[in-house]
Amino acid sequence: MRILIVEDEPLVQQRLLRMCGELAGARARFDAVADLEAAGDRLQRSVYDGLLLDLNLGGDDGFELLRRAVAGRYQCVVVSAHRERALQAFEHGVLDFVPKPFSRERLAQALERLLDASRYRPGCARYLGIWRAQGTTLVELADVQWIRADGDYSELRMRDGRIELHDKSLAGLGPLLPPEFVRCHRSHVVNLRHVRSLHAASGSRYWVVLSDGTELPVGRAHVAALRTELNLD
């Protein structure tokens, strides 16, 4: 993995570089920048898998970059002294929030989540960032009915009928989604809040019907878990 550290305090930046390098070993390579402009330039020119982000960067608000992070292919961990912004950060889909001053053990925990994001589901995200021609915008996850895999991207179907495209794959989105989003098929994730019923037909064919009448396939491997989630057992 390649991870970018965005931290404007030189001593903290050097400590993060040293400790992350020691903790990750050969599993990751780390670069560091000190401001939003440099971070934006790096993310535009190079491919990164993860981000360690401070929220106060020389007076600039790191949330500007965080909104881009949740719209992009990389996962994000916030490292900040502003503990009061932790809930807001989790609502934007970060994997972890490490308060300053941090210990080696606490950083190791957060870094492990970043290196193996597929194993962790914070479940607190409220928004997803979406790339549009005019910039990044946020959509409410509560308004997302279902998500379909579209190659390296994900297609979000909104409650009002809109279709939004997200830069993360379905597997990449998994760690950001709240518990009500469950896999119903190898290429579909459904928001249980919008499921009206589960149906079965001959030939072991299953499908769910959503509140707007949409029907989605249900893979046999996902039927039992889906029945449990819908309290149908």
Side-chain angles (χ1 to χ4, degrees):
M1 290 184 69
R2 192 173 179 188
I3 297 172
L4 181 65
I5 296 171
V6 187
E7 169 60 62
D8 67 331
E9 297 181 47
L11 291 179
V12 177
Q13 184 187 107
Q14 289 303 313
R15 185 173 181 232
L16 283 169
L17 278 169
R18 175 178 55 79
M19 292 177 64
C20 285
E22 293 170 354
L23 291 166
R27 292 185 295 167
R29 169 186 166 187
F30 297 88
D31 299 316
V33 294
D35 57 64
L36 288 180
E37 183 177 354
D41 182 62
R42 282 290 189 98
L43 293 172
Q44 187 173 13
R45 292 188 295 106
S46 305
V47 176
Y48 285 92
D49 305 291
L51 197 65
L52 285 172
L53 174 67
D54 187 11
L55 293 180
N56 185 10
L57 298 162
D60 290 329
D61 191 351
F63 266 92
E64 179 183 333
L65 189 60
L66 180 56
R67 283 188 285 271
R68 293 181 57 187
V70 297
R73 298 187 182 186
Y74 36 86
Q75 309 286 6
C76 183
V77 166
V78 168
V79 182
S80 173
H82 295 273
R83 297 169 185 250
E84 74 281 0
R85 305 192 76 181
L87 178 58
Q88 187 183 6
F90 279 117
E91 287 181 340
H92 283 70
V94 301
L95 289 175
D96 204 349
F97 186 103
V98 180
K100 294 178 180 178
F102 54 86
S103 65
R104 182 185 179 88
E105 291 72 24
R106 183 64 183 88
L107 181 63
Q109 181 184 48
L111 187 59
E112 194 60 35
R113 290 183 174 181
L114 193 56
L115 293 173
D116 195 4
S118 61
R119 291 174 49 199
Y120 297 95
R121 294 191 61 163
C124 297
R126 182 179 173 186
Y127 309 101
L128 276 182
I130 299 293
W131 291 108
R132 288 183 178 162
Q134 64 271 32
T136 307
T137 189
L138 296 175
V139 298
E140 289 261 6
L141 276 168
D143 292 333
V144 178
Q145 289 189 307
W146 53 282
I147 306 172
R148 183 180 71 87
D150 187 7
D152 292 333
Y153 301 88
S154 296
E155 187 180 89
L156 280 58
R157 297 298 182 106
M158 309 300 294
R159 183 163 52 184
D160 62 5
R162 284 181 296 128
I163 299 176
E164 302 282 4
L165 197 64
H166 198 284
D167 268 14
K168 283 188 176 70
S169 67
L170 206 57
L173 275 181
L176 304 180
L177 299 175
E180 60 265 27
F181 284 83
V182 299
R183 186 71 72 107
C184 66
H185 187 270
R186 60 191 172 125
S187 59
H188 291 83
V189 168
V190 66
N191 185 344
L192 294 177
R193 299 188 181 205
H194 296 287
V195 173
R196 190 168 65 196
S197 55
L198 172 66
H199 298 269
S202 59
S204 299
R205 189 172 70 88
Y206 299 87
W207 70 96
V208 290
V209 178
L210 306 188
S211 53
D212 66 352
T214 298
E215 297 182 359
L216 295 180
V218 176
R220 281 178 290 178
H222 303 284
V223 173
L226 194 58
R227 288 181 62 86
T228 300
E229 294 286 353
L230 293 171
N231 296 315
L232 296 177
D233 289 335

